[in-house]
Amino acid sequence: MSNAKRDIIIGLMFITGIAGFISGEFIFSNIFFASAAIYTNMFLSRRTHG
């Protein structure tokens, strides 16, 4: 996956998490924030270790 596509996916997850937080869907927003964080960490660990 190219860097632009990866950045777009992470950005959409983050924006969706913010929208969920504002609308009061806290479980929904936490899922998207966590998935964005995990996805970013997986990419960074692959980049530094492999």
Side-chain angles (χ1 to χ4, degrees):
M1 185 180 309
S2 69
N3 287 336
K5 288 182 183 179
R6 187 173 23 254
D7 290 342
I8 290 171
I9 290 171
I10 293 171
L12 285 175
M13 284 190 288
F14 187 73
I15 290 171
T16 306
I18 290 174
F21 185 77
I22 290 172
S23 68
E25 297 290 333
F26 298 114
I27 295 171
F28 183 69
S29 67
N30 284 333
I31 291 170
F32 277 104
F33 283 135
S35 61
I38 290 169
Y39 191 70
T40 302
N41 287 333
M42 285 179 10
F43 169 69
L44 291 176
S45 67
R46 282 187 201 155
R47 190 172 174 190
T48 57
H49 295 298

